[in-house]
Amino acid sequence: MSSAPTNPWGRVDDEGNVYVRTADGERLIGQWPGGDPAEAMSLYVRRFEGLEVEVDLLEKRLEGGALSPDDAAKTVTKVRAQITDAHAMGDLATLLTRLDALQPAIDKQREERRAARAVKVAESQTEKTRIVEEAEKLATSSDWKAGADKLRALLDEWKALPRLSKSADDELWHRFSTARTSYTRRRKAHFGEQSTLRDAAKTIKEKLIVEAEALSTSTEWGPTAGKYRDLMTEWKKAGSAPRNVEDKLWKRFRAAQDAFFTTRDEANTLLDAEYEVNADKKLAILVDAEKLLPIKDVDAARKAWLDIADRWEAAGKVPRASMAELEGRIRKIEDAVKDATDNAWKRTDPEKSARADDMIGKLQKAIDDVAEKIAAAEAKDDAKKIKDLQADLASKTAFLEMAQKAQADYS
């Protein structure tokens, strides 16, 4: 048999027993009867090296943060058990010491994670409180479209946040759930009411369509156009029908209106063509009428105007596009004749002329009386009375001149 190989951490005896040296002495870890001791020792050294690799890997994974503290502790316990009773040859005590040295790092990481968890929980508490408060505001709002989308977004935010303590999480969730339920119920009630209103609007609009279609063949242009305006007012007041029928209802209602107004416009176009002849007649009449201006002979202008007015009426209707211009021009002539007639009447009013004559007579008699009184005062040489009477005479003379001027205006 070849000489036994040496190793500071174990040996193989002559009977093939394999031992590992520990602080408590040698421990039998295997047997290799009749085999090469070197091969036996190599096998058990490789087993130690495998354990050493596991410790190296554990140290690196813990240092790199690849393991949670709990997983690291479980792995340490597992590897420790493998080393303690390992059938391997090597410095097992050092491996156990290295495992012991990992505990402070595990404790530190556990404390760091606990602190980080506390921060996350605090942040989660703040965020969940914000979510609840936003949901409670939405619960009383009437923003039915954006509100529902916002509540769904808030729910997604809630699910992404860490849980709190059971009591805190349950309390906030209850408030959030209550707000969502309240909003959903109000939203359903709103759309239920809207559905009822839309159904009512559909019924009203169907009746309006029947009326509109019945009027579509009418030839009473003015009254029927007014009725269509009333129907349109009622249509707007009715509100919106359900979406799947609103457009169809409007198309029917609009088609009835279009049929009437198209027929009316066509009829008016035909009339306008006929009325063009009348417009030409009235333009010729205007040429004669405008020759009256400016008016110098009122009587002649009045007589000419009467003839012009009769011709104007006899000429008939004109196209609507020409009506305003033609009527405006003839009205200017009519107003001028009327104003001239009124002014002439004011100047020749018999009643005013008679009043002026009476006033002149009275003033003349009063002046004569004052003149006689002045002559009498002069005979008596009464200077004061003469002065007063002369002032009175001057006043009455001024009034007489005014009366005579007015009489001249009425003559």
Side-chain angles (χ1 to χ4, degrees), residues 75-184:
T75 303
V76 167
T77 300
K78 175 184 174 182
V79 175
R80 185 186 299 279
Q82 293 173 351
I83 294 173
T84 300
D85 299 319
H87 292 182
M89 188 179 297
D91 189 358
L92 296 174
T94 298
L95 292 182
L96 291 174
T97 300
R98 288 170 64 186
L99 289 180
D100 291 339
L102 294 178
Q103 190 59 46
I106 292 173
D107 292 341
K108 180 182 179 183
Q109 283 195 9
R110 182 174 281 116
E111 185 58 35
E112 288 174 350
R113 293 204 174 198
R114 187 179 295 114
R117 168 68 181 170
V119 170
K120 288 184 178 180
V121 169
E123 291 174 349
S124 180
Q125 174 94 27
T126 301
E127 286 301 297
K128 286 188 173 182
T129 301
R130 174 188 61 79
I131 289 171
V132 169
E133 290 173 350
E134 287 189 34
E136 287 174 339
K137 288 180 181 178
L138 287 171
T140 59
S141 78
S142 299
D143 188 352
W144 307 123
K145 176 64 173 68
D149 294 340
K150 182 61 177 176
L151 280 173
R152 282 191 289 272
L154 290 175
L155 179 59
D156 291 339
E157 287 186 54
W158 179 283
K159 291 178 179 178
L161 292 169
R163 284 184 58 82
L164 312 176
S165 66
K166 187 176 186 309
S167 60
D169 216 64
D170 287 351
E171 179 186 352
L172 288 173
W173 174 254
H174 176 70
R175 286 174 59 189
F176 183 49
S177 179
T178 300
R180 290 172 65 217
T181 301
S182 174
Y183 175 84
T184 301

Side-chain angles (χ1 to χ4, degrees), residues 182-203:
S182 174
Y183 175 84
T184 301
R185 286 175 179 171
R186 292 179 59 248
R187 187 171 183 269
K188 286 182 178 178
H190 166 76
F191 284 111
E193 181 182 351
Q194 288 296 106
S195 178
T196 300
L197 292 175
R198 288 178 185 274
D199 289 341
K202 175 176 177 289
T203 301

Side-chain angles (χ1 to χ4, degrees), residues 55-68:
V55 173
D56 289 341
L57 181 61
L58 180 57
E59 288 173 335
K60 291 176 180 178
R61 292 181 69 191
L62 183 60
E63 182 181 355
L67 283 177
S68 69

